[in-house]
Amino acid sequence: MSLVNCRLIDLPELKDSRGSLSFVEAGRQVPFLIRRIYYLYGVPLGAVRGGHAHKELHQLMIAMHGSFEILIDDGINKSVVALNNPARGLYICPMIWRELRGFSGYSVCVVLASEVYNEDDYLRNYSDFLGVRKGG
Ligand code: TYD
C-alpha cells in the first residue's frame, strides 16, 4: 500500500441551531473495523508525535479540536496534510511513515484504529521501514 491509498475522508456533518454532529461507522466512512480509539492532547507547541509506521494497522486521524499537520511517506513519495476540522479525517493505510507536528494550542487528535495496541506492529526506525518497503 502506498500514499495513493491514503486519503482525506469527509465525515457526515449534521448541523442545526444546536451545533454540529459528525460520526464514523466501521465499513462505511472508514474501510476497516474499529477496534481501538486513542487520542493525543496536551501536546506542547513544537512537539512532534508519531515517527513510525505500522505493518498492518489502518487508522483514521481527526483533529477533534485545533489543528496539526501530518507528514505521510511511503518510502518514495511524501505529502503533508493539514487537519483542522472535526468533520474530516485522514485515512492512513498500513506501511506509511507518519509524523504529526505543528500542533496548535489545546489541540486534540483522535485516532480510530483497526487493531488493539501491539508494539510488534510498529516500525520505529526509518531505515528499517525503508528496508521492509524495498523487501516487500
Ligand atoms: P507512541 O505510539 O510512541 O505515540 P505517538 O505515535 O502518538 O507519538 O506511543 C506512546 C506510548 O504509548 C508508548 O509507550 C506506547 C503507548 N501506547 C499504548 O499503550 N497504547 C496505545 O494505543 C498507543 C497508541 C500507545
Side-chain angles (χ1 to χ4, degrees):
M1 289 199 170
S2 67
L3 229 53
V4 294
N5 302 106
C6 299
R7 61 184 186 277
L8 283 167
I9 295 178
D10 283 318
L11 302 171
E13 191 175 15
L14 305 176
K15 274 188 185 177
D16 65 29
S17 58
R18 302 167 300 162
S20 300
L21 184 153
S22 291
F23 55 88
V24 185
E25 295 168 305
R28 292 192 175 177
Q29 288 79 26
V30 290
F32 57 85
L33 292 180
I34 299 160
R35 293 204 173 83
R36 174 168 51 121
I37 299 172
Y38 68 92
Y39 28 97
L40 305 172
Y41 52 99
V43 180
L45 295 178
V48 177
R49 305 275 333 196
H52 58 251
H54 287 282
K55 298 174 198 164
E56 305 278 350
L57 195 70
H58 299 254
Q59 292 176 304
L60 184 79
M61 299 197 171
I62 303 170
M64 209 52 89
H65 186 262
S67 62
F68 52 88
E69 291 177 351
I70 308 179
L71 165 81
I72 48 176
D73 173 355
D74 63 11
I76 297 173
N77 296 303
K78 297 179 203 243
S79 176
V80 175
V81 179
L83 289 182
N84 59 10
N85 178 350
R88 174 173 283 183
L90 177 65
Y91 166 68
I92 304 181
C93 65
M95 287 305 294
I96 301 292
W97 188 266
R98 86 289 309 275
E99 292 172 13
L100 285 70
R101 60 196 187 200
F103 286 87
S104 65
Y106 304 104
S107 53
V108 179
C109 170
V110 171
V111 183
L112 313 184
S114 62
E115 301 294 340
V116 296
Y117 175 73
N118 174 13
E119 184 59 34
D120 292 342
D121 187 61
Y122 280 74
L123 292 166
R124 291 194 182 273
N125 178 291
Y126 190 69
S127 303
D128 293 347
F129 164 70
L130 290 180
V132 174
R133 284 240 57 139
K134 283 184 187 139

PDB file of all heavy atoms in Angstrom, residues 36-40 48-52 54 57 59 61 98 100 103 109 111 113 115-119 122 124, ligand 1:
ATOM      1  N   ARG A  36      -9.999   0.128  18.303  1.00  0.00           N
ATOM      2  CA  ARG A  36      -9.330   0.954  19.332  1.00  0.00           C
ATOM      3  C   ARG A  36      -9.518   2.414  18.980  1.00  0.00           C
ATOM      4  O   ARG A  36      -9.548   2.779  17.796  1.00  0.00           O
ATOM      5  CB  ARG A  36      -7.835   0.612  19.368  1.00  0.00           C
ATOM      6  CG  ARG A  36      -7.014   1.494  20.291  1.00  0.00           C
ATOM      7  CD  ARG A  36      -5.619   0.901  20.492  1.00  0.00           C
ATOM      8  NE  ARG A  36      -4.996   0.587  19.227  1.00  0.00           N
ATOM      9  CZ  ARG A  36      -3.828   1.096  18.803  1.00  0.00           C
ATOM     10  NH1 ARG A  36      -3.145   1.925  19.558  1.00  0.00           N
ATOM     11  NH2 ARG A  36      -3.344   0.754  17.625  1.00  0.00           N
ATOM     12  N   ILE A  37      -9.638   3.217  20.015  1.00  0.00           N
ATOM     13  CA  ILE A  37      -9.631   4.679  19.875  1.00  0.00           C
ATOM     14  C   ILE A  37      -8.589   5.208  20.842  1.00  0.00           C
ATOM     15  O   ILE A  37      -8.557   4.788  22.006  1.00  0.00           O
ATOM     16  CB  ILE A  37     -11.006   5.283  20.226  1.00  0.00           C
ATOM     17  CG1 ILE A  37     -12.088   4.738  19.290  1.00  0.00           C
ATOM     18  CG2 ILE A  37     -10.957   6.806  20.151  1.00  0.00           C
ATOM     19  CD1 ILE A  37     -13.494   5.130  19.700  1.00  0.00           C
ATOM     20  N   TYR A  38      -7.710   6.063  20.353  1.00  0.00           N
ATOM     21  CA  TYR A  38      -6.826   6.760  21.287  1.00  0.00           C
ATOM     22  C   TYR A  38      -6.742   8.216  20.877  1.00  0.00           C
ATOM     23  O   TYR A  38      -7.187   8.591  19.779  1.00  0.00           O
ATOM     24  CB  TYR A  38      -5.446   6.086  21.380  1.00  0.00           C
ATOM     25  CG  TYR A  38      -4.577   6.155  20.153  1.00  0.00           C
ATOM     26  CD1 TYR A  38      -3.659   7.205  19.980  1.00  0.00           C
ATOM     27  CD2 TYR A  38      -4.624   5.170  19.179  1.00  0.00           C
ATOM     28  CE1 TYR A  38      -2.832   7.256  18.868  1.00  0.00           C
ATOM     29  CE2 TYR A  38      -3.807   5.218  18.071  1.00  0.00           C
ATOM     30  CZ  TYR A  38      -2.912   6.264  17.918  1.00  0.00           C
ATOM     31  OH  TYR A  38      -2.096   6.318  16.818  1.00  0.00           O
ATOM     32  N   TYR A  39      -6.235   9.042  21.769  1.00  0.00           N
ATOM     33  CA  TYR A  39      -6.223  10.470  21.468  1.00  0.00           C
ATOM     34  C   TYR A  39      -4.998  11.130  22.071  1.00  0.00           C
ATOM     35  O   TYR A  39      -4.467  10.698  23.101  1.00  0.00           O
ATOM     36  CB  TYR A  39      -7.508  11.163  21.948  1.00  0.00           C
ATOM     37  CG  TYR A  39      -8.192  10.550  23.126  1.00  0.00           C
ATOM     38  CD1 TYR A  39      -7.986  11.043  24.415  1.00  0.00           C
ATOM     39  CD2 TYR A  39      -9.046   9.453  22.949  1.00  0.00           C
ATOM     40  CE1 TYR A  39      -8.617  10.468  25.503  1.00  0.00           C
ATOM     41  CE2 TYR A  39      -9.668   8.875  24.032  1.00  0.00           C
ATOM     42  CZ  TYR A  39      -9.456   9.367  25.302  1.00  0.00           C
ATOM     43  OH  TYR A  39     -10.061   8.779  26.380  1.00  0.00           O
ATOM     44  N   LEU A  40      -4.546  12.132  21.372  1.00  0.00           N
ATOM     45  CA  LEU A  40      -3.393  12.937  21.793  1.00  0.00           C
ATOM     46  C   LEU A  40      -3.922  14.290  22.228  1.00  0.00           C
ATOM     47  O   LEU A  40      -4.698  14.912  21.503  1.00  0.00           O
ATOM     48  CB  LEU A  40      -2.414  13.123  20.622  1.00  0.00           C
ATOM     49  CG  LEU A  40      -1.910  11.843  19.949  1.00  0.00           C
ATOM     50  CD1 LEU A  40      -1.107  12.194  18.696  1.00  0.00           C
ATOM     51  CD2 LEU A  40      -1.051  11.043  20.917  1.00  0.00           C
ATOM     52  N   VAL A  48       6.700  16.928  18.267  1.00  0.00           N
ATOM     53  CA  VAL A  48       6.451  16.051  17.113  1.00  0.00           C
ATOM     54  C   VAL A  48       6.039  14.688  17.654  1.00  0.00           C
ATOM     55  O   VAL A  48       6.730  14.124  18.518  1.00  0.00           O
ATOM     56  CB  VAL A  48       7.712  15.914  16.231  1.00  0.00           C
ATOM     57  CG1 VAL A  48       7.456  14.954  15.075  1.00  0.00           C
ATOM     58  CG2 VAL A  48       8.150  17.280  15.715  1.00  0.00           C
ATOM     59  N   ARG A  49       4.927  14.170  17.180  1.00  0.00           N
ATOM     60  CA  ARG A  49       4.454  12.843  17.580  1.00  0.00           C
ATOM     61  C   ARG A  49       4.567  11.902  16.385  1.00  0.00           C
ATOM     62  O   ARG A  49       4.816  12.339  15.270  1.00  0.00           O
ATOM     63  CB  ARG A  49       2.985  12.900  18.039  1.00  0.00           C
ATOM     64  CG  ARG A  49       2.673  13.882  19.128  1.00  0.00           C
ATOM     65  CD  ARG A  49       2.886  13.426  20.518  1.00  0.00           C
ATOM     66  NE  ARG A  49       2.783  12.028  20.800  1.00  0.00           N
ATOM     67  CZ  ARG A  49       2.646  11.546  22.039  1.00  0.00           C
ATOM     68  NH1 ARG A  49       2.536  12.376  23.060  1.00  0.00           N
ATOM     69  NH2 ARG A  49       2.619  10.249  22.261  1.00  0.00           N
ATOM     70  N   GLY A  50       4.293  10.624  16.619  1.00  0.00           N
ATOM     71  CA  GLY A  50       4.424   9.660  15.531  1.00  0.00           C
ATOM     72  C   GLY A  50       5.892   9.325  15.346  1.00  0.00           C
ATOM     73  O   GLY A  50       6.589   9.034  16.312  1.00  0.00           O
ATOM     74  N   GLY A  51       6.360   9.397  14.105  1.00  0.00           N
ATOM     75  CA  GLY A  51       7.738   8.999  13.843  1.00  0.00           C
ATOM     76  C   GLY A  51       7.834   7.483  13.804  1.00  0.00           C
ATOM     77  O   GLY A  51       8.715   6.881  14.415  1.00  0.00           O
ATOM     78  N   HIS A  52       6.891   6.866  13.110  1.00  0.00           N
ATOM     79  CA  HIS A  52       6.895   5.423  12.955  1.00  0.00           C
ATOM     80  C   HIS A  52       5.934   5.046  11.831  1.00  0.00           C
ATOM     81  O   HIS A  52       5.183   5.889  11.326  1.00  0.00           O
ATOM     82  CB  HIS A  52       6.495   4.728  14.265  1.00  0.00           C
ATOM     83  CG  HIS A  52       5.155   5.123  14.778  1.00  0.00           C
ATOM     84  ND1 HIS A  52       4.981   5.900  15.904  1.00  0.00           N
ATOM     85  CD2 HIS A  52       3.911   4.872  14.324  1.00  0.00           C
ATOM     86  CE1 HIS A  52       3.688   6.087  16.107  1.00  0.00           C
ATOM     87  NE2 HIS A  52       3.024   5.485  15.158  1.00  0.00           N
ATOM     88  N   HIS A  54       3.276   1.520  10.660  1.00  0.00           N
ATOM     89  CA  HIS A  54       2.633   0.297  11.147  1.00  0.00           C
ATOM     90  C   HIS A  54       2.602  -0.724  10.022  1.00  0.00           C
ATOM     91  O   HIS A  54       2.313  -0.384   8.868  1.00  0.00           O
ATOM     92  CB  HIS A  54       1.208   0.586  11.603  1.00  0.00           C
ATOM     93  CG  HIS A  54       1.144   1.337  12.882  1.00  0.00           C
ATOM     94  ND1 HIS A  54       1.342   0.738  14.099  1.00  0.00           N
ATOM     95  CD2 HIS A  54       0.921   2.651  13.140  1.00  0.00           C
ATOM     96  CE1 HIS A  54       1.245   1.644  15.054  1.00  0.00           C
ATOM     97  NE2 HIS A  54       0.992   2.817  14.509  1.00  0.00           N
ATOM     98  N   LEU A  57      -1.650  -1.948  10.573  1.00  0.00           N
ATOM     99  CA  LEU A  57      -2.723  -1.126  11.149  1.00  0.00           C
ATOM    100  C   LEU A  57      -3.294  -0.123  10.146  1.00  0.00           C
ATOM    101  O   LEU A  57      -2.551   0.549   9.437  1.00  0.00           O
ATOM    102  CB  LEU A  57      -2.165  -0.368  12.352  1.00  0.00           C
ATOM    103  CG  LEU A  57      -3.186   0.262  13.293  1.00  0.00           C
ATOM    104  CD1 LEU A  57      -3.927  -0.825  14.072  1.00  0.00           C
ATOM    105  CD2 LEU A  57      -2.492   1.213  14.269  1.00  0.00           C
ATOM    106  N   GLN A  59      -5.702   3.353  10.093  1.00  0.00           N
ATOM    107  CA  GLN A  59      -6.083   4.391  11.054  1.00  0.00           C
ATOM    108  C   GLN A  59      -6.838   5.521  10.363  1.00  0.00           C
ATOM    109  O   GLN A  59      -6.639   5.799   9.173  1.00  0.00           O
ATOM    110  CB  GLN A  59      -4.832   4.995  11.711  1.00  0.00           C
ATOM    111  CG  GLN A  59      -4.096   4.021  12.614  1.00  0.00           C
ATOM    112  CD  GLN A  59      -2.824   4.618  13.152  1.00  0.00           C
ATOM    113  OE1 GLN A  59      -1.969   5.061  12.400  1.00  0.00           O
ATOM    114  NE2 GLN A  59      -2.688   4.642  14.455  1.00  0.00           N
ATOM    115  N   MET A  61      -7.279   9.575  11.370  1.00  0.00           N
ATOM    116  CA  MET A  61      -6.879  10.622  12.313  1.00  0.00           C
ATOM    117  C   MET A  61      -7.739  11.851  12.097  1.00  0.00           C
ATOM    118  O   MET A  61      -7.929  12.298  10.956  1.00  0.00           O
ATOM    119  CB  MET A  61      -5.419  10.989  12.104  1.00  0.00           C
ATOM    120  CG  MET A  61      -4.502   9.810  12.343  1.00  0.00           C
ATOM    121  SD  MET A  61      -2.817  10.314  12.579  1.00  0.00           S
ATOM    122  CE  MET A  61      -2.113   8.741  13.095  1.00  0.00           C
ATOM    123  N   ARG A  98       4.692   8.149   9.337  1.00  0.00           N
ATOM    124  CA  ARG A  98       3.958   9.392   9.623  1.00  0.00           C
ATOM    125  C   ARG A  98       4.604  10.164  10.764  1.00  0.00           C
ATOM    126  O   ARG A  98       5.160   9.577  11.693  1.00  0.00           O
ATOM    127  CB  ARG A  98       2.484   9.113   9.932  1.00  0.00           C
ATOM    128  CG  ARG A  98       2.094   8.774  11.357  1.00  0.00           C
ATOM    129  CD  ARG A  98       2.533   7.423  11.817  1.00  0.00           C
ATOM    130  NE  ARG A  98       2.179   6.366  10.915  1.00  0.00           N
ATOM    131  CZ  ARG A  98       0.967   5.759  10.932  1.00  0.00           C
ATOM    132  NH1 ARG A  98       0.103   6.081  11.854  1.00  0.00           N
ATOM    133  NH2 ARG A  98       0.713   4.782  10.099  1.00  0.00           N
ATOM    134  N   LEU A 100       3.489  13.676  13.110  1.00  0.00           N
ATOM    135  CA  LEU A 100       2.465  14.682  13.425  1.00  0.00           C
ATOM    136  C   LEU A 100       3.171  15.868  14.063  1.00  0.00           C
ATOM    137  O   LEU A 100       3.957  15.684  15.007  1.00  0.00           O
ATOM    138  CB  LEU A 100       1.417  14.127  14.396  1.00  0.00           C
ATOM    139  CG  LEU A 100       0.390  13.142  13.841  1.00  0.00           C
ATOM    140  CD1 LEU A 100       1.008  11.809  13.481  1.00  0.00           C
ATOM    141  CD2 LEU A 100      -0.740  12.941  14.833  1.00  0.00           C
ATOM    142  N   PHE A 103       1.237  21.281  16.059  1.00  0.00           N
ATOM    143  CA  PHE A 103       0.008  21.277  16.872  1.00  0.00           C
ATOM    144  C   PHE A 103      -0.282  22.687  17.378  1.00  0.00           C
ATOM    145  O   PHE A 103       0.597  23.359  17.922  1.00  0.00           O
ATOM    146  CB  PHE A 103       0.178  20.356  18.081  1.00  0.00           C
ATOM    147  CG  PHE A 103       0.127  18.886  17.753  1.00  0.00           C
ATOM    148  CD1 PHE A 103       1.272  18.213  17.369  1.00  0.00           C
ATOM    149  CD2 PHE A 103      -1.064  18.196  17.831  1.00  0.00           C
ATOM    150  CE1 PHE A 103       1.238  16.854  17.080  1.00  0.00           C
ATOM    151  CE2 PHE A 103      -1.123  16.839  17.538  1.00  0.00           C
ATOM    152  CZ  PHE A 103       0.029  16.169  17.160  1.00  0.00           C
ATOM    153  N   CYS A 109      -6.077  15.314  18.934  1.00  0.00           N
ATOM    154  CA  CYS A 109      -6.069  14.396  17.790  1.00  0.00           C
ATOM    155  C   CYS A 109      -6.695  13.087  18.234  1.00  0.00           C
ATOM    156  O   CYS A 109      -6.187  12.426  19.146  1.00  0.00           O
ATOM    157  CB  CYS A 109      -4.624  14.168  17.332  1.00  0.00           C
ATOM    158  SG  CYS A 109      -4.455  12.841  16.115  1.00  0.00           S
ATOM    159  N   VAL A 111      -7.708   9.245  17.156  1.00  0.00           N
ATOM    160  CA  VAL A 111      -7.303   8.239  16.171  1.00  0.00           C
ATOM    161  C   VAL A 111      -8.184   6.998  16.331  1.00  0.00           C
ATOM    162  O   VAL A 111      -8.299   6.443  17.432  1.00  0.00           O
ATOM    163  CB  VAL A 111      -5.820   7.838  16.361  1.00  0.00           C
ATOM    164  CG1 VAL A 111      -5.400   6.849  15.270  1.00  0.00           C
ATOM    165  CG2 VAL A 111      -4.921   9.070  16.351  1.00  0.00           C
ATOM    166  N   ALA A 113      -8.509   3.151  15.158  1.00  0.00           N
ATOM    167  CA  ALA A 113      -7.523   2.176  14.685  1.00  0.00           C
ATOM    168  C   ALA A 113      -8.169   0.806  14.512  1.00  0.00           C
ATOM    169  O   ALA A 113      -9.111   0.444  15.228  1.00  0.00           O
ATOM    170  CB  ALA A 113      -6.367   2.101  15.676  1.00  0.00           C
ATOM    171  N   GLU A 115      -6.856  -2.167  14.997  1.00  0.00           N
ATOM    172  CA  GLU A 115      -6.419  -3.231  15.910  1.00  0.00           C
ATOM    173  C   GLU A 115      -6.137  -2.646  17.283  1.00  0.00           C
ATOM    174  O   GLU A 115      -5.877  -1.449  17.410  1.00  0.00           O
ATOM    175  CB  GLU A 115      -5.115  -3.891  15.394  1.00  0.00           C
ATOM    176  CG  GLU A 115      -5.204  -4.507  14.014  1.00  0.00           C
ATOM    177  CD  GLU A 115      -6.135  -5.700  13.937  1.00  0.00           C
ATOM    178  OE1 GLU A 115      -6.445  -6.308  14.990  1.00  0.00           O
ATOM    179  OE2 GLU A 115      -6.597  -6.022  12.814  1.00  0.00           O
ATOM    180  N   VAL A 116      -6.147  -3.494  18.283  1.00  0.00           N
ATOM    181  CA  VAL A 116      -5.709  -3.060  19.607  1.00  0.00           C
ATOM    182  C   VAL A 116      -4.204  -2.804  19.554  1.00  0.00           C
ATOM    183  O   VAL A 116      -3.528  -3.192  18.595  1.00  0.00           O
ATOM    184  CB  VAL A 116      -6.060  -4.102  20.700  1.00  0.00           C
ATOM    185  CG1 VAL A 116      -7.568  -4.248  20.810  1.00  0.00           C
ATOM    186  CG2 VAL A 116      -5.402  -5.445  20.414  1.00  0.00           C
ATOM    187  N   TYR A 117      -3.695  -2.162  20.579  1.00  0.00           N
ATOM    188  CA  TYR A 117      -2.272  -1.793  20.609  1.00  0.00           C
ATOM    189  C   TYR A 117      -1.386  -3.033  20.555  1.00  0.00           C
ATOM    190  O   TYR A 117      -1.596  -3.991  21.296  1.00  0.00           O
ATOM    191  CB  TYR A 117      -1.979  -0.995  21.891  1.00  0.00           C
ATOM    192  CG  TYR A 117      -0.518  -0.686  22.050  1.00  0.00           C
ATOM    193  CD1 TYR A 117       0.098   0.266  21.247  1.00  0.00           C
ATOM    194  CD2 TYR A 117       0.253  -1.371  22.982  1.00  0.00           C
ATOM    195  CE1 TYR A 117       1.448   0.538  21.379  1.00  0.00           C
ATOM    196  CE2 TYR A 117       1.599  -1.108  23.117  1.00  0.00           C
ATOM    197  CZ  TYR A 117       2.186  -0.154  22.314  1.00  0.00           C
ATOM    198  OH  TYR A 117       3.522   0.116  22.443  1.00  0.00           O
ATOM    199  N   ASN A 118      -0.399  -2.997  19.679  1.00  0.00           N
ATOM    200  CA  ASN A 118       0.540  -4.112  19.535  1.00  0.00           C
ATOM    201  C   ASN A 118       1.890  -3.550  19.117  1.00  0.00           C
ATOM    202  O   ASN A 118       2.073  -3.150  17.961  1.00  0.00           O
ATOM    203  CB  ASN A 118       0.015  -5.099  18.481  1.00  0.00           C
ATOM    204  CG  ASN A 118       1.003  -6.201  18.188  1.00  0.00           C
ATOM    205  OD1 ASN A 118       1.975  -6.386  18.926  1.00  0.00           O
ATOM    206  ND2 ASN A 118       0.773  -6.940  17.114  1.00  0.00           N
ATOM    207  N   GLU A 119       2.826  -3.536  20.045  1.00  0.00           N
ATOM    208  CA  GLU A 119       4.140  -2.935  19.753  1.00  0.00           C
ATOM    209  C   GLU A 119       4.832  -3.651  18.581  1.00  0.00           C
ATOM    210  O   GLU A 119       5.595  -3.035  17.847  1.00  0.00           O
ATOM    211  CB  GLU A 119       5.010  -2.964  21.021  1.00  0.00           C
ATOM    212  CG  GLU A 119       6.367  -2.276  20.888  1.00  0.00           C
ATOM    213  CD  GLU A 119       6.295  -0.791  20.518  1.00  0.00           C
ATOM    214  OE1 GLU A 119       5.347  -0.104  20.958  1.00  0.00           O
ATOM    215  OE2 GLU A 119       7.189  -0.309  19.783  1.00  0.00           O
ATOM    216  N   TYR A 122       4.762  -2.061  15.086  1.00  0.00           N
ATOM    217  CA  TYR A 122       5.439  -0.783  14.805  1.00  0.00           C
ATOM    218  C   TYR A 122       6.751  -0.988  14.064  1.00  0.00           C
ATOM    219  O   TYR A 122       7.503  -1.920  14.351  1.00  0.00           O
ATOM    220  CB  TYR A 122       5.796  -0.077  16.112  1.00  0.00           C
ATOM    221  CG  TYR A 122       4.669   0.677  16.796  1.00  0.00           C
ATOM    222  CD1 TYR A 122       3.660   0.005  17.457  1.00  0.00           C
ATOM    223  CD2 TYR A 122       4.644   2.063  16.804  1.00  0.00           C
ATOM    224  CE1 TYR A 122       2.646   0.698  18.112  1.00  0.00           C
ATOM    225  CE2 TYR A 122       3.636   2.764  17.453  1.00  0.00           C
ATOM    226  CZ  TYR A 122       2.642   2.076  18.105  1.00  0.00           C
ATOM    227  OH  TYR A 122       1.650   2.765  18.741  1.00  0.00           O
ATOM    228  N   ARG A 124       9.716   1.522  14.118  1.00  0.00           N
ATOM    229  CA  ARG A 124      10.041   2.801  14.748  1.00  0.00           C
ATOM    230  C   ARG A 124      11.336   3.404  14.228  1.00  0.00           C
ATOM    231  O   ARG A 124      11.721   4.496  14.628  1.00  0.00           O
ATOM    232  CB  ARG A 124      10.115   2.640  16.270  1.00  0.00           C
ATOM    233  CG  ARG A 124       8.751   2.375  16.921  1.00  0.00           C
ATOM    234  CD  ARG A 124       8.817   2.553  18.420  1.00  0.00           C
ATOM    235  NE  ARG A 124       7.564   2.280  19.088  1.00  0.00           N
ATOM    236  CZ  ARG A 124       6.594   3.185  19.278  1.00  0.00           C
ATOM    237  NH1 ARG A 124       6.743   4.417  18.846  1.00  0.00           N
ATOM    238  NH2 ARG A 124       5.488   2.843  19.915  1.00  0.00           N
TER     239      ARG A 124
HETATM  240  P1  TYD B   1       3.579   6.205  20.552  1.00  0.00           P
HETATM  241  O1  TYD B   1       2.989   5.267  19.559  1.00  0.00           O
HETATM  242  O2  TYD B   1       5.058   6.354  20.588  1.00  0.00           O
HETATM  243  O3  TYD B   1       2.911   7.647  20.417  1.00  0.00           O
HETATM  244  P2  TYD B   1       2.802   8.632  19.158  1.00  0.00           P
HETATM  245  O4  TYD B   1       2.960   7.812  17.936  1.00  0.00           O
HETATM  246  O5  TYD B   1       1.474   9.229  19.257  1.00  0.00           O
HETATM  247  O6  TYD B   1       3.829   9.676  19.273  1.00  0.00           O
HETATM  248  O7  TYD B   1       3.053   5.759  21.971  1.00  0.00           O
HETATM  249  C1  TYD B   1       3.480   6.393  23.176  1.00  0.00           C
HETATM  250  C2  TYD B   1       3.370   5.372  24.307  1.00  0.00           C
HETATM  251  O8  TYD B   1       2.001   4.980  24.489  1.00  0.00           O
HETATM  252  C3  TYD B   1       4.159   4.116  24.036  1.00  0.00           C
HETATM  253  O9  TYD B   1       4.734   3.706  25.256  1.00  0.00           O
HETATM  254  C4  TYD B   1       3.105   3.114  23.607  1.00  0.00           C
HETATM  255  C5  TYD B   1       1.883   3.567  24.373  1.00  0.00           C
HETATM  256  N1  TYD B   1       0.592   3.293  23.689  1.00  0.00           N
HETATM  257  C6  TYD B   1      -0.289   2.389  24.261  1.00  0.00           C
HETATM  258  O10 TYD B   1      -0.016   1.786  25.319  1.00  0.00           O
HETATM  259  N2  TYD B   1      -1.482   2.178  23.646  1.00  0.00           N
HETATM  260  C7  TYD B   1      -1.827   2.817  22.502  1.00  0.00           C
HETATM  261  O11 TYD B   1      -2.949   2.600  21.967  1.00  0.00           O
HETATM  262  C8  TYD B   1      -0.893   3.733  21.908  1.00  0.00           C
HETATM  263  C9  TYD B   1      -1.213   4.467  20.615  1.00  0.00           C
HETATM  264  C10 TYD B   1       0.298   3.944  22.535  1.00  0.00           C
END
